[in-house]
Short mmCIF file of all heavy atoms in Angstrom, two decimals:
data_model
loop_
_atom_site.label_atom_id
_atom_site.label_comp_id
_atom_site.label_asym_id
_atom_site.label_seq_id
_atom_site.Cartn_x
_atom_site.Cartn_y
_atom_site.Cartn_z
N MET A 147 36.78 60.56 -109.31
CA MET A 147 37.71 59.56 -108.80
C MET A 147 36.95 58.30 -108.41
O MET A 147 35.84 58.38 -107.87
CB MET A 147 38.45 60.12 -107.58
CG MET A 147 39.74 59.39 -107.28
SD MET A 147 40.62 60.14 -105.90
CE MET A 147 39.98 59.24 -104.52
N ALA A 148 37.51 57.16 -108.72
CA ALA A 148 36.87 55.88 -108.37
C ALA A 148 36.82 55.71 -106.86
O ALA A 148 37.80 55.99 -106.17
CB ALA A 148 37.63 54.73 -108.99
N THR A 149 35.68 55.27 -106.38
CA THR A 149 35.52 55.06 -104.94
C THR A 149 35.03 53.65 -104.69
O THR A 149 34.40 53.05 -105.56
CB THR A 149 34.50 56.05 -104.35
OG1 THR A 149 33.32 56.00 -105.15
CG2 THR A 149 35.05 57.44 -104.32
N PRO A 150 35.31 53.09 -103.51
CA PRO A 150 34.82 51.76 -103.18
C PRO A 150 33.30 51.72 -103.18
O PRO A 150 32.65 52.66 -102.72
CB PRO A 150 35.37 51.50 -101.78
CG PRO A 150 36.48 52.46 -101.62
CD PRO A 150 36.13 53.65 -102.44
N LYS A 151 32.75 50.61 -103.71
CA LYS A 151 31.30 50.50 -103.81
C LYS A 151 30.68 50.24 -102.45
O LYS A 151 29.53 50.62 -102.21
CB LYS A 151 30.93 49.37 -104.77
CG LYS A 151 29.82 49.75 -105.73
CD LYS A 151 29.77 48.76 -106.88
CE LYS A 151 28.96 49.37 -108.01
NZ LYS A 151 28.93 48.51 -109.19
N ARG A 152 31.41 49.51 -101.62
CA ARG A 152 30.86 49.16 -100.31
C ARG A 152 31.84 49.49 -99.20
O ARG A 152 33.05 49.51 -99.42
CB ARG A 152 30.54 47.66 -100.26
CG ARG A 152 29.45 47.27 -101.21
CD ARG A 152 28.71 46.02 -100.76
NE ARG A 152 27.67 45.67 -101.72
CZ ARG A 152 26.47 46.27 -101.76
NH1 ARG A 152 26.17 47.22 -100.89
NH2 ARG A 152 25.59 45.90 -102.66
N LYS A 153 31.28 49.72 -98.03
CA LYS A 153 32.10 49.93 -96.83
C LYS A 153 32.82 48.63 -96.48
O LYS A 153 32.22 47.55 -96.55
CB LYS A 153 31.17 50.35 -95.70
CG LYS A 153 31.83 50.46 -94.34
CD LYS A 153 30.76 50.77 -93.30
CE LYS A 153 31.35 50.78 -91.91
NZ LYS A 153 30.33 51.13 -90.90
N THR A 154 34.10 48.72 -96.11
CA THR A 154 34.84 47.54 -95.68
C THR A 154 34.39 47.15 -94.28
O THR A 154 34.47 47.97 -93.35
CB THR A 154 36.35 47.83 -95.67
OG1 THR A 154 36.75 48.33 -96.94
CG2 THR A 154 37.15 46.57 -95.38
N SER A 155 33.88 45.91 -94.15
CA SER A 155 33.34 45.47 -92.86
C SER A 155 34.45 45.29 -91.83
O SER A 155 35.63 45.16 -92.18
CB SER A 155 32.59 44.15 -93.04
OG SER A 155 33.50 43.12 -93.39
N HIS A 156 34.05 45.28 -90.58
CA HIS A 156 35.02 45.07 -89.50
C HIS A 156 35.71 43.72 -89.65
O HIS A 156 36.91 43.59 -89.41
CB HIS A 156 34.33 45.15 -88.13
CG HIS A 156 33.90 46.53 -87.78
ND1 HIS A 156 34.81 47.54 -87.48
CD2 HIS A 156 32.69 47.11 -87.70
CE1 HIS A 156 34.15 48.67 -87.22
NE2 HIS A 156 32.85 48.43 -87.36
N ALA A 157 34.95 42.69 -90.07
CA ALA A 157 35.51 41.35 -90.23
C ALA A 157 36.59 41.35 -91.32
O ALA A 157 37.67 40.77 -91.15
CB ALA A 157 34.40 40.36 -90.58
N ARG A 158 36.30 42.02 -92.44
CA ARG A 158 37.26 42.04 -93.55
C ARG A 158 38.52 42.82 -93.16
O ARG A 158 39.64 42.42 -93.50
CB ARG A 158 36.60 42.65 -94.78
CG ARG A 158 37.37 42.41 -96.06
CD ARG A 158 36.48 42.37 -97.28
NE ARG A 158 35.80 41.11 -97.49
CZ ARG A 158 36.35 39.97 -97.91
NH1 ARG A 158 37.65 39.91 -98.14
NH2 ARG A 158 35.64 38.89 -98.09
N THR A 159 38.35 43.91 -92.44
CA THR A 159 39.50 44.68 -91.97
C THR A 159 40.35 43.83 -91.03
O THR A 159 41.58 43.81 -91.12
CB THR A 159 39.02 45.94 -91.22
OG1 THR A 159 38.19 46.68 -92.10
CG2 THR A 159 40.18 46.81 -90.81
N ALA A 160 39.68 43.09 -90.13
CA ALA A 160 40.40 42.24 -89.17
C ALA A 160 41.16 41.14 -89.89
O ALA A 160 42.30 40.83 -89.53
CB ALA A 160 39.42 41.65 -88.16
N GLN A 161 40.56 40.56 -90.95
CA GLN A 161 41.22 39.50 -91.71
C GLN A 161 42.47 40.03 -92.39
O GLN A 161 43.53 39.39 -92.38
CB GLN A 161 40.27 38.93 -92.77
CG GLN A 161 39.25 37.94 -92.22
CD GLN A 161 38.13 37.66 -93.20
OE1 GLN A 161 38.21 38.01 -94.37
NE2 GLN A 161 37.08 37.03 -92.70
N ARG A 162 42.38 41.23 -92.97
CA ARG A 162 43.53 41.82 -93.65
C ARG A 162 44.65 42.11 -92.66
O ARG A 162 45.82 41.84 -92.92
CB ARG A 162 43.10 43.10 -94.37
CG ARG A 162 44.20 43.73 -95.23
CD ARG A 162 43.72 44.96 -95.95
NE ARG A 162 43.29 46.01 -95.06
CZ ARG A 162 42.06 46.51 -94.99
NH1 ARG A 162 41.11 46.03 -95.79
NH2 ARG A 162 41.75 47.46 -94.15
N LYS A 163 44.28 42.66 -91.48
CA LYS A 163 45.29 43.00 -90.49
C LYS A 163 45.94 41.75 -89.90
O LYS A 163 47.11 41.79 -89.51
CB LYS A 163 44.68 43.86 -89.39
CG LYS A 163 44.37 45.25 -89.93
CD LYS A 163 44.04 46.25 -88.86
CE LYS A 163 43.93 47.63 -89.49
NZ LYS A 163 43.58 48.65 -88.50
N ALA A 164 45.17 40.66 -89.83
CA ALA A 164 45.74 39.41 -89.32
C ALA A 164 46.82 38.91 -90.26
O ALA A 164 47.87 38.42 -89.82
CB ALA A 164 44.64 38.36 -89.16
N GLN A 165 46.61 39.04 -91.58
CA GLN A 165 47.61 38.64 -92.57
C GLN A 165 48.84 39.51 -92.43
O GLN A 165 49.97 39.03 -92.50
CB GLN A 165 47.05 38.79 -93.99
CG GLN A 165 46.07 37.73 -94.37
CD GLN A 165 45.49 37.97 -95.75
OE1 GLN A 165 45.56 39.08 -96.28
NE2 GLN A 165 44.91 36.95 -96.32
N TRP A 166 48.63 40.80 -92.25
CA TRP A 166 49.74 41.74 -92.17
C TRP A 166 50.60 41.43 -90.94
O TRP A 166 51.81 41.46 -90.99
CB TRP A 166 49.19 43.16 -92.10
CG TRP A 166 50.23 44.21 -92.17
CD1 TRP A 166 50.89 44.65 -93.28
CD2 TRP A 166 50.76 44.97 -91.09
NE1 TRP A 166 51.78 45.62 -92.95
CE2 TRP A 166 51.72 45.85 -91.61
CE3 TRP A 166 50.50 45.00 -89.72
CZ2 TRP A 166 52.42 46.74 -90.81
CZ3 TRP A 166 51.21 45.88 -88.93
CH2 TRP A 166 52.15 46.74 -89.48
N LEU A 167 49.93 41.13 -89.79
CA LEU A 167 50.66 40.81 -88.58
C LEU A 167 51.42 39.50 -88.75
O LEU A 167 52.50 39.33 -88.20
CB LEU A 167 49.70 40.71 -87.39
CG LEU A 167 49.21 42.06 -86.86
CD1 LEU A 167 48.15 41.84 -85.80
CD2 LEU A 167 50.35 42.86 -86.28
N GLY A 168 50.85 38.56 -89.54
CA GLY A 168 51.53 37.30 -89.79
C GLY A 168 52.83 37.50 -90.52
O GLY A 168 53.81 36.81 -90.28
N ALA A 169 52.86 38.49 -91.44
CA ALA A 169 54.07 38.77 -92.21
C ALA A 169 55.15 39.38 -91.33
O ALA A 169 56.33 39.32 -91.66
CB ALA A 169 53.74 39.70 -93.36
N LEU A 170 54.77 39.96 -90.20
CA LEU A 170 55.73 40.59 -89.30
C LEU A 170 56.45 39.58 -88.42
O LEU A 170 57.46 39.90 -87.84
CB LEU A 170 55.02 41.60 -88.39
CG LEU A 170 54.63 42.93 -88.99
CD1 LEU A 170 53.97 43.78 -87.93
CD2 LEU A 170 55.83 43.64 -89.56
N SER A 171 55.93 38.35 -88.35
CA SER A 171 56.51 37.37 -87.45
C SER A 171 57.91 36.96 -87.94
O SER A 171 58.30 37.28 -89.05
CB SER A 171 55.61 36.15 -87.34
OG SER A 171 55.47 35.56 -88.61
N ALA A 172 58.62 36.23 -87.12
CA ALA A 172 60.01 35.87 -87.40
C ALA A 172 60.14 35.12 -88.72
O ALA A 172 59.29 34.29 -89.05
CB ALA A 172 60.54 35.01 -86.26
N PRO A 173 61.19 35.42 -89.51
CA PRO A 173 61.38 34.73 -90.79
C PRO A 173 61.71 33.25 -90.59
O PRO A 173 62.26 32.88 -89.55
CB PRO A 173 62.55 35.49 -91.42
CG PRO A 173 63.27 36.09 -90.29
CD PRO A 173 62.22 36.42 -89.25
N SER A 174 61.38 32.44 -91.59
CA SER A 174 61.62 31.00 -91.49
C SER A 174 63.12 30.72 -91.52
O SER A 174 63.88 31.36 -92.24
CB SER A 174 60.93 30.27 -92.64
OG SER A 174 61.42 30.73 -93.88
N THR A 175 63.53 29.78 -90.71
CA THR A 175 64.95 29.46 -90.60
C THR A 175 65.20 28.00 -90.98
O THR A 175 64.31 27.16 -90.88
CB THR A 175 65.46 29.69 -89.16
OG1 THR A 175 64.64 28.97 -88.27
CG2 THR A 175 65.43 31.15 -88.80
N THR A 176 66.41 27.74 -91.45
CA THR A 176 66.86 26.38 -91.75
C THR A 176 68.25 26.19 -91.17
O THR A 176 68.86 27.15 -90.70
CB THR A 176 66.92 26.12 -93.27
OG1 THR A 176 67.62 27.18 -93.88
CG2 THR A 176 65.54 25.98 -93.86
N LYS A 177 68.75 24.94 -91.23
CA LYS A 177 70.11 24.69 -90.79
C LYS A 177 71.05 24.80 -91.97
O LYS A 177 70.75 24.31 -93.06
CB LYS A 177 70.21 23.30 -90.17
CG LYS A 177 69.91 23.30 -88.69
CD LYS A 177 70.21 21.95 -88.06
CE LYS A 177 69.91 21.99 -86.57
NZ LYS A 177 70.10 20.67 -85.94
N CYS A 178 72.18 25.46 -91.75
CA CYS A 178 73.18 25.58 -92.81
C CYS A 178 73.75 24.19 -93.12
O CYS A 178 74.21 23.50 -92.21
CB CYS A 178 74.29 26.52 -92.34
SG CYS A 178 75.68 26.62 -93.49
N PRO A 179 73.74 23.77 -94.41
CA PRO A 179 74.27 22.44 -94.74
C PRO A 179 75.79 22.36 -94.61
O PRO A 179 76.35 21.28 -94.56
CB PRO A 179 73.84 22.25 -96.20
CG PRO A 179 73.64 23.61 -96.72
CD PRO A 179 73.20 24.47 -95.58
N HIS A 180 76.44 23.52 -94.55
CA HIS A 180 77.90 23.53 -94.47
C HIS A 180 78.40 23.47 -93.03
O HIS A 180 79.28 22.70 -92.71
CB HIS A 180 78.45 24.79 -95.16
CG HIS A 180 79.94 24.82 -95.27
ND1 HIS A 180 80.71 25.66 -94.50
CD2 HIS A 180 80.79 24.10 -96.04
CE1 HIS A 180 81.99 25.45 -94.80
NE2 HIS A 180 82.06 24.51 -95.73
N CYS A 181 77.83 24.30 -92.15
CA CYS A 181 78.32 24.34 -90.77
C CYS A 181 77.27 23.95 -89.73
O CYS A 181 77.59 23.79 -88.57
CB CYS A 181 78.86 25.74 -90.45
SG CYS A 181 77.60 27.02 -90.39
N GLY A 182 75.99 23.78 -90.15
CA GLY A 182 74.96 23.33 -89.22
C GLY A 182 74.36 24.42 -88.37
O GLY A 182 73.54 24.15 -87.50
N GLU A 183 74.76 25.65 -88.63
CA GLU A 183 74.23 26.78 -87.88
C GLU A 183 72.79 27.09 -88.33
O GLU A 183 72.44 26.83 -89.49
CB GLU A 183 75.12 28.01 -88.13
CG GLU A 183 74.93 29.14 -87.13
CD GLU A 183 75.64 28.90 -85.81
OE1 GLU A 183 76.49 27.97 -85.74
OE2 GLU A 183 75.35 29.62 -84.86
N VAL A 184 71.95 27.62 -87.43
CA VAL A 184 70.60 28.03 -87.81
C VAL A 184 70.69 29.33 -88.59
O VAL A 184 71.23 30.32 -88.09
CB VAL A 184 69.72 28.20 -86.55
CG1 VAL A 184 68.34 28.71 -86.94
CG2 VAL A 184 69.59 26.89 -85.81
N VAL A 185 70.19 29.34 -89.83
CA VAL A 185 70.29 30.52 -90.68
C VAL A 185 68.92 30.86 -91.27
O VAL A 185 68.05 30.02 -91.37
CB VAL A 185 71.31 30.31 -91.84
CG1 VAL A 185 72.71 30.20 -91.30
CG2 VAL A 185 70.94 29.10 -92.66
N VAL A 186 68.75 32.13 -91.65
CA VAL A 186 67.54 32.57 -92.34
C VAL A 186 67.55 31.95 -93.73
O VAL A 186 68.57 32.04 -94.44
CB VAL A 186 67.50 34.11 -92.43
CG1 VAL A 186 66.23 34.57 -93.14
CG2 VAL A 186 67.59 34.72 -91.05
N SER A 187 66.45 31.32 -94.15
CA SER A 187 66.42 30.66 -95.45
C SER A 187 66.51 31.67 -96.59
O SER A 187 66.05 32.80 -96.48
CB SER A 187 65.14 29.84 -95.58
OG SER A 187 64.02 30.60 -95.28
N HIS A 188 67.13 31.26 -97.69
CA HIS A 188 67.37 32.07 -98.89
C HIS A 188 68.32 33.23 -98.63
O HIS A 188 68.31 34.24 -99.34
CB HIS A 188 66.05 32.60 -99.49
CG HIS A 188 65.04 31.52 -99.71
ND1 HIS A 188 65.18 30.53 -100.63
CD2 HIS A 188 63.86 31.27 -99.09
CE1 HIS A 188 64.13 29.72 -100.58
NE2 HIS A 188 63.32 30.14 -99.64
N ARG A 189 69.16 33.08 -97.58
CA ARG A 189 70.19 34.07 -97.30
C ARG A 189 71.51 33.34 -97.08
O ARG A 189 71.51 32.18 -96.66
CB ARG A 189 69.86 34.89 -96.03
CG ARG A 189 68.59 35.71 -96.10
CD ARG A 189 68.73 36.89 -97.04
NE ARG A 189 67.55 37.73 -96.98
CZ ARG A 189 66.43 37.49 -97.64
NH1 ARG A 189 66.34 36.43 -98.43
NH2 ARG A 189 65.40 38.29 -97.55
N ALA A 190 72.60 34.04 -97.35
CA ALA A 190 73.90 33.44 -97.09
C ALA A 190 74.08 33.23 -95.59
O ALA A 190 73.58 34.00 -94.78
CB ALA A 190 75.00 34.35 -97.62
N CYS A 191 74.80 32.15 -95.23
CA CYS A 191 75.02 31.83 -93.83
C CYS A 191 75.89 32.91 -93.18
O CYS A 191 76.91 33.31 -93.74
CB CYS A 191 75.71 30.47 -93.72
SG CYS A 191 76.11 30.00 -92.04
N SER A 192 75.45 33.40 -92.01
CA SER A 192 76.17 34.49 -91.36
C SER A 192 77.42 34.00 -90.64
O SER A 192 78.30 34.80 -90.33
CB SER A 192 75.26 35.22 -90.38
OG SER A 192 74.73 34.30 -89.44
N SER A 193 77.52 32.70 -90.38
CA SER A 193 78.68 32.21 -89.63
C SER A 193 79.78 31.67 -90.54
O SER A 193 80.96 31.76 -90.20
CB SER A 193 78.26 31.16 -88.62
OG SER A 193 77.83 30.00 -89.28
N CYS A 194 79.42 31.10 -91.71
CA CYS A 194 80.46 30.58 -92.60
C CYS A 194 80.45 31.25 -93.98
O CYS A 194 81.38 31.07 -94.76
CB CYS A 194 80.36 29.07 -92.75
SG CYS A 194 78.90 28.48 -93.62
N GLY A 195 79.40 32.04 -94.30
CA GLY A 195 79.37 32.77 -95.55
C GLY A 195 79.04 31.94 -96.77
O GLY A 195 79.25 32.37 -97.89
N PHE A 196 78.51 30.71 -96.56
CA PHE A 196 78.19 29.84 -97.69
C PHE A 196 76.75 30.02 -98.13
O PHE A 196 75.86 30.27 -97.31
CB PHE A 196 78.43 28.38 -97.30
CG PHE A 196 79.81 27.88 -97.69
CD1 PHE A 196 80.94 28.41 -97.10
CD2 PHE A 196 79.95 26.89 -98.65
CE1 PHE A 196 82.19 27.95 -97.45
CE2 PHE A 196 81.21 26.42 -99.00
CZ PHE A 196 82.33 26.96 -98.40
N TYR A 197 76.52 29.91 -99.42
CA TYR A 197 75.17 29.87 -99.96
C TYR A 197 75.19 29.03 -101.23
O TYR A 197 76.06 29.22 -102.08
CB TYR A 197 74.64 31.28 -100.24
CG TYR A 197 73.19 31.28 -100.68
CD1 TYR A 197 72.18 30.91 -99.80
CD2 TYR A 197 72.84 31.63 -101.98
CE1 TYR A 197 70.86 30.89 -100.20
CE2 TYR A 197 71.53 31.62 -102.38
CZ TYR A 197 70.53 31.24 -101.48
OH TYR A 197 69.23 31.21 -101.89
N LYS A 198 74.27 28.09 -101.35
CA LYS A 198 74.19 27.16 -102.49
C LYS A 198 75.52 26.44 -102.72
O LYS A 198 75.99 26.31 -103.85
CB LYS A 198 73.74 27.89 -103.76
CG LYS A 198 72.25 28.18 -103.77
CD LYS A 198 71.78 28.62 -105.14
CE LYS A 198 70.26 28.68 -105.17
NZ LYS A 198 69.76 29.12 -106.49
N GLY A 199 76.14 26.02 -101.60
CA GLY A 199 77.34 25.19 -101.69
C GLY A 199 78.62 25.89 -102.05
O GLY A 199 79.60 25.25 -102.38
N ARG A 200 78.63 27.23 -102.04
CA ARG A 200 79.89 27.93 -102.29
C ARG A 200 79.98 29.17 -101.42
O ARG A 200 78.98 29.69 -100.94
CB ARG A 200 80.03 28.31 -103.77
CG ARG A 200 78.99 29.29 -104.25
CD ARG A 200 79.03 29.43 -105.76
NE ARG A 200 78.07 30.46 -106.19
CZ ARG A 200 78.40 31.74 -106.33
NH1 ARG A 200 79.61 32.16 -106.10
NH2 ARG A 200 77.49 32.60 -106.73
N GLN A 201 81.25 29.65 -101.25
CA GLN A 201 81.50 30.83 -100.43
C GLN A 201 81.05 32.07 -101.20
O GLN A 201 81.51 32.32 -102.31
CB GLN A 201 83.01 30.93 -100.12
CG GLN A 201 83.38 32.03 -99.15
CD GLN A 201 83.49 31.51 -97.73
OE1 GLN A 201 83.92 30.39 -97.51
NE2 GLN A 201 83.10 32.31 -96.77
N VAL A 202 80.12 32.83 -100.63
CA VAL A 202 79.64 34.02 -101.33
C VAL A 202 80.01 35.31 -100.61
O VAL A 202 80.06 36.37 -101.22
CB VAL A 202 78.11 33.95 -101.57
CG1 VAL A 202 77.78 32.92 -102.63
CG2 VAL A 202 77.35 33.69 -100.31
N ILE A 203 80.25 35.25 -99.29
CA ILE A 203 80.66 36.45 -98.56
C ILE A 203 81.82 36.12 -97.63
O ILE A 203 81.94 34.98 -97.16
CB ILE A 203 79.51 37.09 -97.74
CG1 ILE A 203 78.83 36.06 -96.85
CG2 ILE A 203 78.51 37.79 -98.65
CD1 ILE A 203 77.92 36.64 -95.79
N GLU A 204 82.66 37.11 -97.38
CA GLU A 204 83.76 36.95 -96.43
C GLU A 204 83.21 37.12 -95.02
O GLU A 204 82.44 38.04 -94.76
CB GLU A 204 84.84 38.00 -96.69
CG GLU A 204 85.57 37.81 -98.01
CD GLU A 204 86.50 36.61 -97.98
OE1 GLU A 204 87.19 36.42 -96.97
OE2 GLU A 204 86.53 35.85 -98.98
N VAL A 205 83.59 36.20 -94.13
CA VAL A 205 83.12 36.28 -92.75
C VAL A 205 84.31 36.55 -91.84
O VAL A 205 85.30 35.81 -91.87
CB VAL A 205 82.41 34.98 -92.33
CG1 VAL A 205 81.95 35.07 -90.87
CG2 VAL A 205 81.23 34.71 -93.24
N LYS A 206 84.20 37.63 -91.07
CA LYS A 206 85.25 37.96 -90.12
C LYS A 206 85.12 37.06 -88.91
O LYS A 206 84.04 36.90 -88.36
CB LYS A 206 85.16 39.42 -89.70
CG LYS A 206 85.59 40.39 -90.80
CD LYS A 206 85.34 41.83 -90.38
CE LYS A 206 85.68 42.77 -91.52
NZ LYS A 206 85.29 44.16 -91.20
N GLU A 207 86.25 36.46 -88.50
CA GLU A 207 86.26 35.57 -87.35
C GLU A 207 86.01 36.38 -86.06
O GLU A 207 86.57 37.44 -85.89
CB GLU A 207 87.60 34.84 -87.26
CG GLU A 207 87.84 33.86 -88.39
CD GLU A 207 86.88 32.67 -88.36
OE1 GLU A 207 86.62 32.15 -87.26
OE2 GLU A 207 86.40 32.28 -89.44
N LYS A 208 85.16 35.78 -85.20
CA LYS A 208 84.90 36.44 -83.92
C LYS A 208 86.06 36.22 -82.97
O LYS A 208 86.56 35.13 -82.82
CB LYS A 208 83.62 35.88 -83.30
CG LYS A 208 82.38 36.42 -83.97
CD LYS A 208 81.11 35.81 -83.36
CE LYS A 208 79.87 36.30 -84.09
NZ LYS A 208 78.67 35.62 -83.58
N VAL A 209 86.53 37.31 -82.36
CA VAL A 209 87.67 37.24 -81.44
C VAL A 209 87.20 36.85 -80.04
O VAL A 209 86.19 37.33 -79.61
CB VAL A 209 88.44 38.59 -81.40
CG1 VAL A 209 89.64 38.49 -80.42
CG2 VAL A 209 88.89 38.98 -82.78
ZN1 LIG B 338 77.18 27.97 -92.43
#
């Protein structure tokens, strides 16, 4: 079985884990162009259901 030629240094392990922790942070957000609500980018708006200028999901009104 193929094995690593060298031991992974503490510095290299720390660099990899720093990247992994960075990916865990909060997703990037933008303002919805339709209603102005803060939404997760590349996702349909949770308050009005719009994405790319058209209605893509039905949104139940909050009572
Ligand atoms: Zn919206």
Side-chain angles (χ1 to χ4, degrees):
M147 200 177 91
T149 51
K151 224 164 197 177
R152 295 206 180 280
K153 173 185 175 178
T154 306
S155 67
H156 289 291
R158 194 152 280 287
T159 304
Q161 281 166 12
R162 185 178 62 242
K163 289 192 173 179
Q165 285 177 342
W166 187 78
L167 285 173
L170 284 181
S171 61
S174 60
T175 54
T176 49
K177 271 188 179 176
C178 174
H180 186 252
C181 68
E183 197 79 13
V184 176
V185 292
V186 181
S187 51
H188 309 292
R189 298 288 186 278
C191 177
S192 56
S193 68
C194 68
F196 266 66
Y197 185 67
K198 284 193 171 179
R200 64 190 184 91
Q201 186 96 35
V202 288
I203 51 166
E204 292 288 317
V205 179
K206 288 174 184 173
E207 293 293 319
K208 284 178 183 175
V209 180

